[in-house]
Every structure is written in structure tokens, then in C-alpha cells.
Amino acid sequence: MVIRWPTISNLLLFGHLCRCTSRLIFAPLNQKAGMHIYARASAAGKRVQSNMGAKNHAIVMPDANIDATINALVAAGFGAAGQRCMALSTVVFVGDSKPWLSRLVQSAKALKVNSGTEPDADLGPVISKQAKERIHRLIQSGVESGAELVLDGRNILVPGYENGNFVGPTILAGVRQDMECYKEEIFGPVLICMEADSLEEAISIVNRNKYGNGGSIFTASGAAARKFQTEIECGQVGINVPIPVPLPFFSFTGNKASFAGDLNFYGKAGVNFYTQIKTITQQWKDLPDGSGVSLAMPTSQ
């Protein structure tokens, strides 16, 4: 059984599911609702996949290809108006890559916001008025906490769709880990930019975040890539890949506060989630008469 975003009707349905004979629950939700469903369903003996929030980071090293990296950051951060669980939401510029922020802003400004049905649209509206208001609130909280709003997409107006739920590409720089805009999944076209003096510091920033869906590094150094993939604590790792979602025959391996359960979806783990294992033991050989009773464990002899 699949439970999607936690509307009142879905939570009432969930209460029914905990009492019914359904053995499986798949729940893509935010963290609070996802953990509630995981705890309740597990206590009722259900097998649960609870896929929750994310804060996907990209570490940018100064030896990376600047054009390819900027294009990847813009596509992963603003594609689908940032409304996907593997959207790139946080960029950590390391060392001499810090001045690349101006190139990132320039590229983001060139994106066209329009209705998703228009052929020239690069990104469309967010899903609802409530989502738009929440995105605006988190952007403003960043500004009030001291972040620099280097690109503001809140006041965008799309001709012909004046009442649409549009948010333009937005970039917040100088963000700290204690800011609400960093701690919360914004789920909109907003890129959070941070700085680090070394790869070690950048990895530490990513690992201290509670979420663990995905993380990427952009670099020309094999040694930096190996260090990143070994030490990073998220489940899906990209090397010069901005959205490291594997092909379906591999598993979607988010972890930490992004997932609750023992079997991820996709791939072999996904098949096992929907599989109840049965083991059958048979014997057909004739036993001699008068062989007596053996209290030993059965063997294959």
C-alpha cells in the first residue's frame, strides 16, 4: 500500500491500514510524517519503506571544469522548480572556487520561468499556493539570519499567468549551518551556497547534516573523488554527477534521516521488500523398517 503526502484523508487511511491485513506500506513523506508512519506501522507488524526529506549537497573543488560544473548546478538545482527529492539544494564552494558564485548567478538569471505547457519554459510553477508561501518564508528567514540574497525570484511575474504559483531561481550565499533555510528542505528553486577552505571541511559540513539522500563532488582529481566517496555519509554518491540517482536495477539508497526501513526501493532490495521468503524441506528416501527414532537434528545424509 502506498501513502503519499500526509493529507487528513491519507492519515485516516493509514490508521485503517495499521489495523488491516496489508503487510506492506510504502510512504514518500516529510520526516515528521514519515517517522510517525514508520513507528506506527512497524509496531503493527508491517514492513515499511519510509522515504523522507533531503538536503542534497554538491562540493565544488577549484580544479573542476567551471563551465560543466555551473551548468550541472543550475540544472540540478532549478530543474522541475526544485520539486524533486534528489534536487541539488546546497553548494559548498571549496578554496579558489568561491568566486564561481557570480557565474552561477549569471547562468541562473538566464532561465525562463513560464507555464509548464509553454515550449520555452525552463521551469514552471511550484505545486500549490501553500508551497509558494513556505518557500518565500524560508528565503526570508535566511535573509533575516544574515544570508546574502544574491538572486531573488520571489517577485517574478509571468504574463498571462499572473495568479500562478511561480518562484524564480533564487540563490542565498553566506549561509550557515544553524540557519532554518539550511536545516529545512525548501523543495523549491532555491540554491543554498556555503564556503569551505578545504575538502575535509566541506565533507564535515555535509556529514553533519541530518539527511542522507545524495551528495556529489565536482573535481578533476581522482584522489579527491576517492576521499569523498569513502568518507561521505549519504547513500547516493555522484562524482561529477549532480543528481546521483542510479538506474532502476540498483537500489535508491538514501539513508540517515532521509529513510526509515531496512529495504530500500528499486533494484534487488526493492524486489525483496515485496517478497515473502518461503523455505521448503522435503525427503523422499525409503527408511528401513525398525530403524527406530532418532532425536538428532535431521541431516542431508
Side-chain angles (χ1 to χ4, degrees):
M1 179 63 68
V2 176
I3 298 179
R4 298 200 179 274
W5 297 106
T7 62
I8 295 297
S9 59
N10 280 348
L11 289 176
L12 290 173
L13 171 62
F14 166 69
H16 166 71
L17 287 175
C18 282
R19 297 187 298 271
C20 76
T21 57
S22 175
R23 298 181 181 180
L24 306 172
I25 295 178
F26 170 75
L29 302 162
N30 61 42
Q31 189 189 22
K32 185 176 181 179
M35 288 307 299
H36 173 76
I37 286 177
Y38 177 77
R40 288 279 310 279
S42 297
K46 314 297 182 184
R47 182 181 293 175
V48 186
Q49 284 176 343
S50 189
N51 300 279
M52 300 176 289
K55 201 73 175 180
N56 305 308
H57 295 64
I59 294 176
V60 178
M61 300 299 291
D63 62 1
N65 181 301
I66 183 170
D67 290 329
T69 299
I70 294 298
N71 288 340
L73 297 178
V74 169
F78 302 120
Q83 299 172 111
R84 48 189 174 188
C85 65
M86 285 299 292
L88 181 62
S89 58
T90 305
V91 182
V92 184
F93 290 104
V94 177
D96 292 339
S97 72
K98 296 172 185 177
W100 294 14
L101 176 61
S102 59
R103 286 283 303 272
L104 179 63
V105 172
Q106 180 183 359
S107 183
K109 282 182 176 178
L111 296 176
K112 180 68 177 292
V113 181
N114 208 334
S115 167
T117 59
E118 300 295 336
D120 63 343
D122 292 313
L123 60 155
V126 296
I127 193 170
S128 67
K129 180 181 178 181
Q130 291 78 14
K132 178 181 177 180
E133 291 172 349
R134 180 179 181 274
I135 293 167
H136 282 196
R137 178 181 62 79
L138 289 169
I139 294 170
Q140 186 59 33
S141 76
V143 174
E144 293 173 357
S145 298
E148 181 184 2
L149 187 58
V150 294
L151 182 60
D152 188 354
R154 291 177 293 178
N155 297 317
I156 191 167
L157 187 64
V158 177
Y161 302 94
E162 288 79 7
N163 295 321
N165 300 311
F166 294 97
V167 180
T170 299
I171 299 177
L172 284 163
V175 173
R176 302 187 309 272
Q177 295 175 75
D178 62 336
M179 293 182 179
E180 185 184 15
C181 65
Y182 174 74
K183 293 188 289 185
E184 292 290 326
E185 180 180 25
I186 298 177
F187 215 70
V190 182
L191 266 180
I192 300 296
C193 294
M194 309 174 76
E195 296 182 354
D197 292 328
S198 65
L199 176 57
E200 289 78 9
E201 182 185 356
I203 290 175
S204 177
I205 289 172
V206 180
N207 286 346
R208 284 198 296 269
N209 190 274
K210 67 181 179 179
Y211 293 115
N213 247 5
S216 301
I217 187 171
F218 290 88
T219 183
S221 166
R226 176 61 63 89
K227 180 179 179 66
F228 175 80
Q229 73 182 45
T230 301
E231 298 182 8
I232 206 69
E233 295 175 1
C234 58
Q236 296 170 109
V237 178
I239 310 298
N240 297 315
V241 175
I243 301 180
V245 177
L247 292 171
F249 46 78
F250 296 105
S251 291
F252 189 101
T253 50
N255 59 27
K256 295 168 70 174
S258 293
F259 179 78
D262 63 327
L263 293 169
N264 297 88
F265 62 103
Y266 288 175
K268 184 177 181 180
V271 173
N272 288 340
F273 178 76
Y274 290 98
T275 301
Q276 178 62 58
I277 298 175
K278 178 187 292 185
T279 302
I280 301 171
T281 304
Q282 302 184 58
Q283 177 174 273
W284 294 92
K285 64 183 180 182
D286 291 329
L287 297 176
D289 293 338
S291 58
V293 176
S294 174
L295 300 183
M297 286 292 293
T299 67
S300 59
Q301 298 177 353

